[in-house]
Amino acid sequence: MPSSPQEAMPSYVRGRWQSPADAGEVLADAVTGEVVARISAAGIDRAGALEHGRTVGGPALRELTFHQRAALLKALASHLREHREELHALSARTGATLGDSKFDVDGGIGVLFSYSSKGRRELPDGHVLLDGPPEPLGKGGTFLAQHIGTPLRGVAVQINAFNFPVWGPLEKFAPAFLAGVPSLIKPASRTAYLTHRLVELVVESGLLPEGSVQLLCGEAGDLLDHLTDQDSVSFTGSAATAARLRAHPVVVERSVRFTAEADSLNCSILGPDATPGTPEFDLFTDQLVTEMTVKAGQKCTAIRRALVPEPILDEVASAVSAKLAEVVVGAPGAEGVRMGALAGLDQREEVRRALRSLLEAGSVVHGDPDSVDPVGADADRGAFLGPVLLRCDDPELPQPHEVEAFGPVSTLLPYRDAAHAVHLADKGRGSLVGSVVTADAAFAREVVLGTASRHGRMLVLNRRDAGESTGHGSPLPQLVHGGPGRAGGGEELGGLRGVLHHMQRTAVQGDPRTLTAITGEWVPGAERTATDVHPFRKDLGQLRVGDTVVGGPRVVTEQDVAHFAEFTGDTFYAHTDEEAARENPFFGGRVAHGYLVLSFAAGLFVAPEPGPVLANYGLENLRFLTPTYPGDEITVTLTAKRITPRQNADYGEVRWDADVTNQDGASVAKYDVLTLVATSAS
């Protein structure tokens, strides 16, 4: 950040920090009203920033493999973790308590760690992402297709909201970076000073290739005018702004990928079994209070509508009110404070305007929308608002389902039965997340299946999972974060879905040899390489895709089948009773155990001496295709299919294609063998 709050924050574009052409807009401390920074993007070359990302950042990232990019994410997360106390302190100026700051800062760093882990575990150490198995297109096996994912040759433009100035940018950046696509971060102005410091730390780390991250502080201006079909836009903010950006002529004309996370009137539904005195009743009321007060209710996932069984509406209102009365509002860090300020005075006024609309349909159960006495702060200078709980006795009125007060506000709504609860949930016209608090699995099933089409995520909370539950409002990088309808219709995070969003899925058609060359993974029908050295005697550096060993043949005898049945206890009639097996429409006679065939196959391909192969840690995609009868001869062909080194480890994973055939050449069993192999023989 600039040395003086009277200077506008510079943007980081085209490899350097660039100051704007004017002093810009004042950004105030949400607690004290003091000037924290100024923001403007006047004179910043937005077209140049996009071109820099495409021509400098993109090529540098695409040179790296998925695993190398994953390793950089981990290193960056470790670097940021060393500075999290500094980020926590700056976060307090946005009105956030320490708990709120950890939710934002530590949560964002956790996303980096999570994507790093997924990249190393679930992606190849290469440049091409395979999407599904090969698709045969002819009977002879010489023509087939493979869906692949390759990085877009553009920039991921990320327009973020004010409420999560650290987590928001990082949860968009991580999957784009892992995909090999550079990011241009444009933070919301109110809390941009925290995002600015975050990007400073990223740049200062020196870990990332130049051009992989840029920062635009201030108005978007003509940014979208310069997009190409290879760029993408991820937006978080209001539904009105999302609609305007989605309809931008360039976005429409060039089919720019656009995803939005917008308004969301999320609901939580209390099951009829969760009466006062049950664990579920307490879980519901505790969760509602948490969602109203964390980040002062400024969360896109917060509970705005609390649906409760009509007979216990009063009891729920009393219980929640009692818990809200214990919430101390004030300056972050002041003794006893549980809830801080809203992001700014203008944000507080927006919430109050929304409250006035909501009060047309309901009444206040707890709180005063117009008055608050914050601890350790000036109520006139700070953007404080106490938690406000409303109730609407007529749940069919439109306001609770149409108006979002983006602050510590929630409305209690009564429902009659499961069908009515589903109906009310759907009146929100699309939400990021809903929750059902019940121990009744049948009720949960009816509600979840009834509402799933309008929700990006559904949490079922009860006494059985409460101990490990991450809560209603906690997005996780492994899961989709987004929602249909008014929630924006987009998806963020979602594990590898988030990575694929930044890649082009292409169906490549060709012969097995060509597809093997393109993908780096052996495709059935491609050449196999038989060598004098058993593949299990080769370390990871010596082994090549296509290296093959053939073992067999071995005759499977009646004595083998009988011994295996007795030894293992698997005396299923098809292996032990000739007459009964003959009546089986699949066999027509006694057959060998499938696992006997696998065991014999392992004995045929294994190299028994100590060597580079350290362990066999599983089989995948196993299918038994043809019965093996006593007297059949089996042969196994084992081919190195994929070789995946592990970063900073002395071993890697080798995936082998195993094809067990009989004397007629028919495949008896096909599967993948997974082994861990030493990087070098020494």
Side-chain angles (χ1 to χ4, degrees):
M1 290 177 62
S3 57
S4 168
Q6 301 307 315
E7 301 174 17
M9 295 180 293
S11 294
Y12 185 74
V13 296
R14 304 180 70 180
R16 62 188 179 90
W17 292 100
Q18 299 184 28
S19 297
D22 60 28
E25 172 191 353
V26 168
L27 301 181
D29 186 307
V31 178
T32 66
E34 297 172 347
V35 176
V36 178
R38 288 177 175 269
I39 188 168
S40 172
I44 302 299
D45 184 3
R46 298 161 178 81
L50 289 172
E51 189 61 18
H52 184 73
R54 297 185 198 111
T55 58
V56 177
L61 285 176
R62 293 193 296 272
E63 282 291 319
L64 303 175
T65 66
F66 289 110
H67 283 203
Q68 288 171 326
R69 294 193 288 264
L72 288 177
L73 284 180
K74 182 179 180 180
L76 179 61
S78 298
H79 173 75
L80 293 177
R81 189 165 58 181
E82 294 175 0
H83 295 271
R84 58 183 173 177
E85 290 185 4
E86 175 190 352
L87 295 173
H88 291 164
L90 191 56
S91 176
R93 307 202 73 173
T94 72
T97 65
L98 180 58
D100 296 337
S101 299
K102 289 181 177 180
F103 197 95
D104 181 26
V105 175
D106 297 16
I109 295 171
V111 169
L112 298 184
F113 277 121
S114 179
Y115 268 98
S116 172
S117 177
K118 292 189 78 66
R120 287 178 284 119
R121 287 185 292 106
E122 300 180 32
L123 295 176
D125 189 29
H127 302 86
V128 178
L129 177 59
L130 303 188
D131 184 19
E135 296 284 350
L137 301 177
K139 293 182 179 180
T142 63
F143 185 53
L144 61 163
Q146 173 71 64
H147 287 90
I148 66 171
T150 54
L152 293 174
R153 299 292 180 103
V155 176
V157 176
Q158 297 152 5
I159 304 174
N160 293 291
F162 69 85
N163 53 332
F164 285 99
V166 174
W167 181 86
L170 292 181
E171 62 100 6
K172 290 182 173 69
F173 160 77
F177 184 87
L178 189 55
V181 177
S183 295
L184 175 60
I185 298 170
K186 189 252 174 269
S189 292
R190 281 184 192 139
T191 55
Y193 51 87
L194 182 50
T195 307
H196 187 278
R197 182 55 188 150
L198 170 70
V199 176
E200 278 187 330
L201 291 170
V202 172
V203 174
E204 290 168 4
S205 75
L207 291 167
L208 306 187
E210 171 52 42
S212 55
V213 176
Q214 299 183 84
L215 174 71
L216 177 65
C217 287
E219 61 278 6
D222 64 350
L223 178 63
L224 270 61
D225 293 341
H226 306 290
L227 296 173
T228 71
D229 62 293
Q230 291 292 294
D231 299 312
S232 63
V233 177
S234 296
F235 170 79
T236 301
S238 73
T241 304
R244 187 172 70 252
L245 296 179
R246 184 182 275 114
H248 189 284
V250 172
V251 172
V252 175
E253 177 187 346
R254 298 177 183 172
S255 300
V256 176
R257 296 189 185 189
F258 184 94
T259 185
E261 179 199 319
D263 303 346
S264 187
L265 289 165
N266 312 294
C267 68
S268 183
I269 303 171
L270 180 65
D273 60 301
T275 54
T278 63
E280 285 70 30
F281 184 90
D282 292 336
L283 287 169
F284 179 86
T285 55
D286 287 343
Q287 176 177 261
L288 181 55
V289 170
T290 296
E291 291 299 310
M292 290 178 66
T293 56
V294 170
K295 293 286 289 185
Q298 298 169 117
K299 292 196 308 174
C300 53
T301 55
I303 298 170
R304 305 300 178 196
R305 300 175 298 152
L307 310 184
V308 303
E310 195 171 45
I312 60 170
L313 178 61
D314 291 339
E315 291 167 284
V316 173
S318 296
V320 176
S321 296
K323 292 177 179 179
L324 288 173
E326 298 174 359
V327 175
V328 178
V329 178
E335 185 175 357
V337 168
R338 279 182 54 190
M339 192 178 91
L342 298 176
L345 294 173
D346 55 346
Q347 175 62 17
R348 183 175 67 180
E349 290 311 304
E350 287 185 21
V351 174
R352 285 175 171 168
R353 281 195 294 272
L355 269 167
R356 286 193 286 272
S357 295
L358 289 171
L359 285 171
E360 294 174 2
S363 58
V364 174
V365 174
H366 175 87
D368 185 341
D370 300 312
S371 177
V372 65
D373 185 17
V375 172
D378 187 329
D380 295 325
R381 295 178 61 83
F384 294 98
L385 178 70
V388 179
L389 180 67
L390 308 176
R391 66 180 285 169
C392 177
D393 292 311
D394 183 355
E396 299 296 333
L397 291 173
Q399 290 89 339
H401 310 291
E402 296 178 359
V403 178
E404 181 180 22
F406 200 73
V409 180
S410 189
T411 302
L412 296 174
L413 298 162
Y415 73 86
R416 297 185 300 274
D417 52 28
H420 191 212
V422 169
H423 163 71
L424 295 176
D426 284 355
K427 284 176 72 69
R429 294 184 291 111
S431 297
L432 296 171
V433 58
S435 59
V436 188
V437 186
T438 179
D440 183 341
F443 177 80
R445 181 181 190 277
E446 184 172 356
V447 170
V448 168
L449 296 184
T451 61
S453 67
R454 281 206 162 103
H455 287 79
R457 177 165 57 91
M458 289 294 294
L459 164 70
V460 179
L461 180 64
N462 54 45
R463 69 193 77 183
R464 297 186 290 271
D465 63 7
E468 291 187 315
S469 172
T470 52
H472 171 100
S474 298
L476 298 172
Q478 302 95 323
L479 307 179
V480 166
H481 178 55
R486 70 175 293 155
E491 291 185 0
E492 298 173 3
L493 296 176
L496 293 187
R497 292 180 183 86
V499 177
L500 273 168
H501 175 75
H502 299 282
M503 309 185 83
Q504 176 60 44
R505 185 184 289 105
T506 304
V508 182
Q509 298 168 267
D511 64 276
R513 180 180 183 180
T514 302
L515 291 184
T516 295
I518 291 171
T519 64
E521 179 170 311
W522 184 82
V523 176
E527 288 84 350
R528 293 182 168 98
T529 304
T531 63
D532 294 335
V533 179
H534 192 292
F536 278 23
R537 312 310 305 162
K538 296 182 178 183
D539 62 42
L540 213 62
Q542 299 167 328
L543 195 63
R544 297 290 181 267
V545 167
D547 281 358
T548 298
V549 60
V550 178
R554 173 168 179 166
V555 176
V556 179
T557 68
E558 290 187 2
Q559 291 78 10
D560 292 329
V561 177
H563 174 70
F564 193 84
E566 180 181 0
F567 186 71
T568 63
D570 182 357
T571 56
F572 184 64
Y573 75 89
H575 312 305
T576 57
D577 186 331
E578 175 66 31
E579 184 176 347
R582 196 178 298 116
E583 298 299 319
N584 186 301
F586 294 111
F587 303 133
R590 188 178 174 202
V591 296
H593 305 71
Y595 297 116
L596 170 61
V597 172
L598 296 186
S599 299
F600 280 177
L604 293 174
F605 67 63
V606 74
E609 306 84 6
V613 175
L614 305 174
N616 174 341
Y617 75 101
L619 304 178
E620 290 185 355
N621 308 316
L622 170 63
R623 292 293 184 272
F624 295 116
L625 303 171
T626 303
T628 297
Y629 298 93
D632 282 354
E633 293 182 348
I634 61 171
T635 300
V636 59
T637 303
L638 192 74
T639 306
K641 185 175 183 179
R642 182 195 303 165
I643 302 171
T644 306
R646 293 196 177 181
Q647 296 290 321
N648 303 317
D650 56 3
Y651 64 90
E653 176 191 301
V654 178
R655 180 179 291 264
W656 306 83
D657 178 87
D659 185 9
V660 184
T661 55
N662 62 18
Q663 66 278 0
D664 299 321
S667 290
V668 170
K670 288 187 176 184
Y671 51 99
D672 290 349
V673 179
L674 308 178
T675 62
L676 299 180
V677 179
T679 302
S680 62
S682 60

